[in-house]
Amino acid sequence: MNLNPYIKPKRGNTSMVMLDVVIALLPLVVAGYLAYGMHALTLIAVSILTALVTELIFSSLYLKNYRAIFDGSAVVTALLLVFTLSPATPWYMVSFGAAAAIIFGKIVWGGLGKNRFNPALVGREFMTTFFPAVMTSAAIWDTKNIINVEATNLFPGIDSPYVSSYLSGLFYKTTGALGEYSILLIVLGGLYLLVRKRISWHIPLALLAVFFAAFWFVEDGDDLHFSIAGVLLGTIYMATDMPSSPTNPYGKLYYGAMIGLVTFILILGGVSYEYMSFSILILNGFSRKISETFAPRVWGQSLNWKDRTEKVLMLSLSVLVVALAVISLHYYHFTQYLVYLYIAYIIIKFNYSFIKKISNPI
């Protein structure tokens, strides 16, 4: 018996979408290899292999879906996870993070398309929680001794060292996480996904516009430190994750704008390395409420602007309260307790709720 939907796009199935994301990310793999050689390739291989094996075992055991590894989502999750990490991260931690991303970011929610939070970022937060000494150490970002190909001045004809260094950094650099070594390649991958209609422009545009505009409203904004490549990587490849982001255009604009605002607030609040991860995960938690709040007007009915305005204000206030709470927890080094609560919550929900809806399409 065939189940609906009966009309399906020829090239729009899950495997094709994931293949396009992998194609968009492949140039960053090359950049990672140039920067850190086999260190980068080893971590990428460990992450992908662990994600695939974990997907095969746990999807088979709990979801009775033996073909889940063929949809490509585990490879995308593995790549995005490793792209947020230092090339000096020990391989066993990467393996742990990839397994946690698949199990606690996807399987326990009921599988592909049902996750509320970005799986790769869930995996990263699990790594930070269970390996805090390494993951929060500044030493893990000291990677000078393992650089494969040094960054060089690609514009020797420009007199200003600052300008030539800045322009060269757009093409290739060796600082930051594994996915941050070429802003140009990150953007080109995003443009490819836009052309292929795998992502829409709403979230990236709103996110980047609000994030950079926020710097105009604070004194000494130039003194705040963040990675442009890291912000772009999160904006293009993680904030746009379909299952964990809103479903309608106005909801996407609001969602992107709030991620941009929360990211800026987290940086202002002293969150050094995880501002992008925290901001996306915070808004992931509000994604369904945002979709509901910005749901399109029903044909034949008028829009109650007062009611919608009140809902948006309350929603915004809730997001900001959570953001300030995360800053406080981060300041007192208590963010790991959020992960412990998440583990307890998701295991209970899986055993008493999600397991009964495994066969539902969404």
Side-chain angles (χ1 to χ4, degrees), residues 177-188:
L178 269 169
E180 301 177 6
Y181 301 143
S182 174
I183 291 175
L184 180 67
L185 293 180
I186 294 173
V187 173
L188 286 177

Side-chain angles (χ1 to χ4, degrees), residues 42 70 82 116 120 138 142 152 185 274 281:
T42 300
F70 299 113
V82 80
R116 291 283 297 272
D142 184 8
T152 186
L185 293 180
E274 297 173 291
L281 289 172

Side-chain angles (χ1 to χ4, degrees), residues 37-272:
M38 290 308 296
H39 283 280
L41 292 188
T42 300
L43 295 188
I44 291 170
V46 166
S47 184
I48 292 175
L49 183 61
T50 303
L52 287 173
V53 172
T54 306
E55 177 88 69
L56 176 63
I57 294 173
F58 284 87
S59 287
S60 300
L61 286 176
Y62 293 102
L63 308 182
K64 309 304 178 188
N65 183 1
Y66 306 98
R67 298 179 56 81
I69 61 169
F70 299 113
D71 63 30
S73 61
V75 176
V76 170
T77 297
L79 284 173
L80 291 178
L81 169 66
V82 80
F83 282 166
T84 67
L85 305 174
S86 163
T89 307
W91 67 268
Y92 58 88
M93 291 187 193
V94 176
S95 182
F96 172 83
I102 297 298
I103 298 171
F104 292 98
K106 189 169 68 172
I107 300 292
V108 291
W109 287 98
L112 181 65
K114 298 178 181 178
N115 54 292
R116 291 283 297 272
F117 298 92
N118 185 290
L121 295 179
V122 170
R124 193 187 193 290
E125 294 314 315
F126 268 66
M127 292 174 67
T128 304
T129 297
F130 291 97
F131 300 100
V134 175
M135 292 296 292
T136 60
S137 168
I140 200 173
W141 298 102
D142 184 8
T143 56
K144 294 178 182 177
N145 294 331
I146 58 173
I147 290 176
N148 184 41
V149 177
E150 293 275 1
T152 186
N153 184 6
L154 300 175
F155 300 91
I158 297 178
D159 294 334
S160 170
Y162 174 80
V163 174
S164 62
S165 174
Y166 178 80
L167 291 177
S168 298
L170 297 179
F171 286 83
Y172 176 71
K173 64 187 182 73
T174 57
T175 56
L178 269 169
E180 301 177 6
Y181 301 143
S182 174
I183 291 175
L184 180 67
L185 293 180
I186 294 173
V187 173
L188 286 177
L191 291 175
Y192 173 77
L193 294 178
L194 278 171
V195 171
R196 294 284 294 165
K197 298 183 179 178
R198 302 314 190 193
I199 63 173
S200 72
W201 56 268
H202 302 81
I203 294 173
L205 179 67
L207 195 161
L208 295 175
V210 170
F211 177 72
F212 287 108
F215 285 85
W216 297 345
F217 295 94
V218 297
E219 293 184 5
D220 303 325
D222 293 339
D223 295 335
L224 298 175
H225 297 289
F226 66 95
S227 165
I228 294 178
V231 170
L232 286 173
L233 188 73
T235 297
I236 294 171
Y237 299 100
M238 298 181 191
T240 56
D241 175 45
M242 282 186 279
S244 57
S245 60
T247 54
N248 49 66
Y250 290 117
K252 290 179 180 180
L253 285 171
Y254 174 84
Y255 173 84
M258 290 305 291
I259 291 178
L261 180 61
V262 170
T263 302
F264 176 77
I265 291 173
L266 292 178
I267 293 173
L268 204 61
V271 179
S272 302

Side-chain angles (χ1 to χ4, degrees), residues 250-305:
Y250 290 117
K252 290 179 180 180
L253 285 171
Y254 174 84
Y255 173 84
M258 290 305 291
I259 291 178
L261 180 61
V262 170
T263 302
F264 176 77
I265 291 173
L266 292 178
I267 293 173
L268 204 61
V271 179
S272 302
Y273 303 119
E274 297 173 291
Y275 47 86
M276 205 64 207
S277 176
F278 285 165
S279 61
I280 293 174
L281 289 172
I282 289 172
L283 266 297
N284 283 166
F286 289 94
S287 175
R288 294 187 180 180
K289 189 66 178 177
I290 293 171
S291 293
E292 178 185 318
T293 302
F294 289 91
R297 179 176 61 87
V298 177
W299 188 81
Q301 294 183 6
S302 59
L303 182 63
N304 187 334
W305 284 101

Side-chain angles (χ1 to χ4, degrees), residues 1-8 361:
M1 181 177 67
N2 292 326
L3 298 175
N4 61 5
Y6 301 106
I7 301 175
K8 299 179 181 178

